[in-house]
């Protein structure tokens, strides 16, 4: 499976990830790799493969808690409650987003922006940004404007993706889509406004404690993830591929660009703003490429295994529109195996970081793999 992934990535502008999949295990000390019970073939470095939990019943179910940590290494890990971490970070992100888009004139456009931006959601992308900053020793508060910018861009993509000229969807996060409430014209403009605001907010609100060169680099990273070689590239290839027979290579290109690029930018920008060294930034980049693709693989699986009520959005739309998906091309079980491979590779990239700082990103990878909506 790893070889299959690398062969398709190599043809589509991801040589570093392809190389990583081809050679990653050969370069690792295999004595550090352990079997992951719940995800079968998944392997994790010993340093980060488990986190002791004081009250497992309050924590998001995670393969990490099924592992047995050797006594001699127990001092590397600290108690970690994933649910509490996610809830705390999401609350901070929501507060920051609420302040970033106040209600003002013209009222209708700001209402529409806030409707979708504050509609809930897991806030995975901004939390990844914050966690990556802290992973390299940075202060979470310094990267909050960047985290908000990422979520604004993500919300823009959802508003536009739901439009009748795109996916034509009526439901998002359990609520009517933006154009159903405010009309198509306002929805288009709300998305445009959020995209513009994201870069304005990032540039204007990032504090003086962040060196200018880091901020400029992060702005360039985020911009490249959105444009004609990023999110837009994935979206346009997805559109022109509807109803056509495409292979795994083409499908991977779509999702690496449409979904993974923004997740990658969130993680990389966090590490840049946090002052990460070049080798640290590249490690989190590889981690992010894996979880970005993982996010879409899981999304494809959920689309055919869950109901509209469970998902909070219309289920089965990919099947109805004859879109290529991982379950369609690989089958459900192979798609699940592929997801396991991606979690394992993502986790291996965290092996050289401090275990306590890496714990949120490790659990976030597992959360993406095991999410139910």
């Amino acid at each position: 499976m790893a070889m299959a992934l690398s062969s398709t990535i190599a043809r589509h502008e991801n040589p570093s990830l392809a190389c990583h999949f081809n050679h990653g295990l050969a370069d690792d000390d295999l004595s550090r790799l352990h079997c992951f019970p719940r995800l079968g073939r998944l392997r994790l470095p010993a340093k980060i493969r488990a986190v002791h939990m004081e009250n497992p019943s309050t924590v998001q179910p995670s393969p990490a808690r099924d592992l047995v940590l050797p006594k001699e290494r127990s001092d590397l890990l600290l108690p970690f409650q994933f649910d509490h971490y996610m809830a705390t970070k999401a609350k901070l992100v929501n507060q920051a987003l609420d302040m970033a888009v106040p209600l003002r004139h013209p009222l209708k456009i700001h209402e529409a922006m806030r409707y979708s931006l504050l509609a809930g959601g897991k806030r995975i992308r901004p939390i990844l940004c914050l966690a990556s900053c802290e992973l390299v020793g940075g202060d979470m508060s310094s990267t909050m404007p960047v985290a908000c910018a990422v979520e604004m861009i993500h919300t823009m993509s959802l508003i536009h993706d739901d439009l009748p000229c795109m996916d034509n969807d009526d439901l998002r996060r359990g609520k009517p889509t933006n154009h159903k409430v405010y009309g198509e014209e306002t929805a288009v403009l709300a998305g445009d406004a959020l995209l513009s605001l994201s870069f304005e907010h990032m540039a204007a609100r990032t504090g003086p404690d962040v060196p200018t060169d880091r901020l400029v680099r992060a702005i360039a990273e985020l911009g490249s993830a959105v444009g004609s070689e990023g999110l837009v590239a994935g979206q346009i290839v997805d559109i022109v591929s509807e109803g056509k027979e495409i292979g795994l290579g083409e499908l991977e290109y779509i999702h690496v660009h449409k979904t993974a690029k923004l997740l990658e930018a969130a993680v990389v920008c966090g590490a840049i703003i946090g002052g990460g060294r070049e080798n640290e930034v590249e490690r989190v980049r590889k981690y992010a490429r894996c979880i970005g693709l993982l996010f879409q693989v899981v999304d494809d699986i959920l689309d055919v295994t869950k109901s509209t009520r469970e998902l909070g959005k219309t289920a089965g739309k990919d099947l109805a529109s004859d879109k290529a998906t991982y379950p369609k091309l690989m089958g459900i079980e192979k798609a699940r195996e592929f997801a396991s491979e991606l979690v394992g590779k993502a986790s291996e990239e965290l092996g050289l970081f401090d275990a306590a700082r890496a714990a949120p990103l490790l659990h976030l990878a597992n959360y993406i793999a095991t999410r139910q909506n």
Side-chain angles (χ1 to χ4, degrees), residues 312-334:
K313 60 181 180 180
T314 307
K317 280 197 64 77
D318 291 341
L319 187 63
S321 59
D322 197 28
K323 277 191 176 182
T325 66
Y326 283 97
K328 180 180 178 181
L329 296 184
M330 304 172 71
I332 289 287
E333 289 309 312
K334 287 292 185 182

Side-chain angles (χ1 to χ4, degrees), residues 34 103 108 213 222 229 295 302 331:
H34 296 255
L103 276 175
K108 185 173 183 179
D213 62 323
L222 188 55
E229 295 183 350
F295 195 95
L302 293 177

Side-chain angles (χ1 to χ4, degrees), residues 10-292:
R11 294 197 302 272
H12 295 292
E13 304 176 5
N14 287 280
S16 60
L17 183 56
C19 179
H20 172 62
F21 270 81
N22 274 329
H23 303 298
L25 285 180
D27 295 338
D28 282 337
D29 175 6
L30 292 181
S31 66
R32 297 188 303 117
L33 304 181
H34 296 255
C35 183
F36 222 133
R38 278 181 55 193
L39 288 180
R41 299 169 62 191
L42 178 62
R43 299 175 293 272
L44 289 178
K47 182 178 179 182
I48 60 168
R49 72 180 189 282
V51 176
H52 171 68
M53 301 177 182
E54 293 178 321
N55 185 7
S57 65
T58 67
V59 182
Q60 174 73 25
S62 164
R65 67 178 192 164
D66 293 335
L67 301 173
V68 178
L69 181 68
K71 291 181 180 179
E72 66 271 16
R73 311 216 53 173
S74 61
D75 60 330
L76 294 174
L77 301 170
L78 299 175
F80 182 75
Q81 294 190 347
F82 183 67
D83 270 358
H84 177 72
Y85 177 88
M86 291 294 287
T88 300
K89 289 291 194 282
K91 183 177 180 180
L92 293 172
V93 169
N94 287 332
Q95 290 172 346
L97 289 171
D98 185 35
M99 294 174 62
V101 190
L103 276 175
R104 53 190 169 191
H105 183 76
L107 193 60
K108 185 173 183 179
I109 192 64
H110 289 99
E111 283 181 346
M113 291 164 69
R114 287 173 59 86
Y115 176 80
S116 293
L117 187 63
L118 304 178
K122 307 170 191 71
R123 306 305 189 197
I124 289 175
R125 290 159 187 81
I127 293 174
L128 280 166
C129 186
L130 301 178
S132 180
C133 178
E134 293 181 315
L135 175 71
V136 299
D139 185 343
M140 179 196 72
S141 62
S142 67
T143 199
M144 183 61 82
V146 182
C148 288
V150 170
E151 189 67 6
M152 290 175 190
I153 292 172
H154 175 55
T155 302
M156 172 277 296
S157 73
L158 299 182
I159 294 173
H160 285 179
D161 205 39
D162 291 335
L163 288 168
C165 63
M166 302 285 273
D167 279 359
N168 191 25
D169 218 328
D170 297 340
L171 198 65
R172 174 69 67 178
R173 292 171 174 168
K175 301 172 65 176
T177 47
N178 197 290
H179 68 275
K180 283 294 179 181
V181 177
Y182 295 97
E184 291 179 38
E185 301 91 341
T186 299
V188 170
L189 292 173
D192 293 345
L194 284 169
L195 178 59
S196 300
L197 179 60
S198 66
F199 290 100
E200 176 190 343
H201 186 75
M202 190 172 171
R205 298 299 178 183
T206 300
D209 56 311
V210 177
T212 304
D213 62 323
R214 289 188 202 168
L215 178 57
V216 171
R217 185 179 170 192
I219 289 172
E221 180 77 31
L222 188 55
S224 69
V226 183
S228 61
E229 295 183 350
L231 189 153
V232 170
Q235 188 70 62
I236 192 66
V237 176
D238 189 27
I239 290 171
V240 300
S241 298
E242 278 194 33
K244 297 179 180 178
E245 292 292 329
I246 66 171
L248 281 173
E250 290 81 4
L251 181 62
E252 191 168 286
Y253 178 90
I254 291 169
H255 293 319
V256 162
H257 290 77
K258 185 178 176 181
T259 303
K261 282 284 188 178
L262 188 56
L263 276 161
E264 179 183 330
V267 175
V268 170
C269 286
I272 291 171
I273 296 295
R277 298 187 297 272
E278 283 302 315
N279 66 320
E280 293 176 324
V281 171
E282 286 312 303
R283 277 195 170 272
V284 299
R285 185 185 296 280
K286 290 176 182 177
Y287 159 88
R289 285 177 180 173
C290 291
I291 65 167

Side-chain angles (χ1 to χ4, degrees), residues 289-305:
R289 285 177 180 173
C290 291
I291 65 167
L293 192 53
L294 169 69
F295 195 95
Q296 189 60 54
V297 175
V298 173
D299 222 41
D300 285 356
I301 293 170
L302 293 177
D303 187 65
V304 295
T305 60

